Amino acid sequence: DLPEEEGKRMNTHVWIRKYEKAIVVVNLPGAKSDYTMEFEQARHDSLTGEKGKKFMIPPGEGRIFLEN
């Protein structure tokens, strides 16, 4: 899967990068809280197997969200 654009810094600890069929979100260590990621269409979290439109990413963790 090829990246569609450069990574975007959302705040001090969160980076997001879009790919053709996925979105990668990283909440770096040191963040004071979870990062809430919301989508218009349901996605699949490749790490947890969870499906939905809203996900919480704890500090120090990253996720790959795939299109359903």
Side-chain angles (χ1 to χ4, degrees):
D1 201 18
L2 299 173
E4 290 186 344
E5 57 189 48
E6 294 292 319
K8 289 185 181 179
R9 186 176 187 171
M10 305 306 289
N11 63 38
T12 305
H13 292 90
V14 177
W15 286 83
I16 295 176
R17 189 165 190 188
K18 294 181 182 179
Y19 290 79
E20 291 176 6
K21 296 181 182 178
I23 295 177
V24 177
V25 182
V26 177
N27 191 6
L28 298 172
K32 295 186 184 340
S33 62
D34 292 352
Y35 181 76
T36 303
M37 187 70 198
E38 294 188 61
F39 299 99
E40 290 182 19
Q41 304 277 333
R43 295 270 178 163
H44 174 248
D45 181 335
S46 67
L47 179 67
T48 66
E50 183 182 356
K51 292 182 181 179
K53 292 183 180 181
K54 184 176 181 179
F55 300 88
M56 303 298 286
I57 304 166
E61 293 192 15
R63 297 286 191 273
I64 300 172
F65 297 106
L66 304 171
E67 295 178 356
N68 283 330

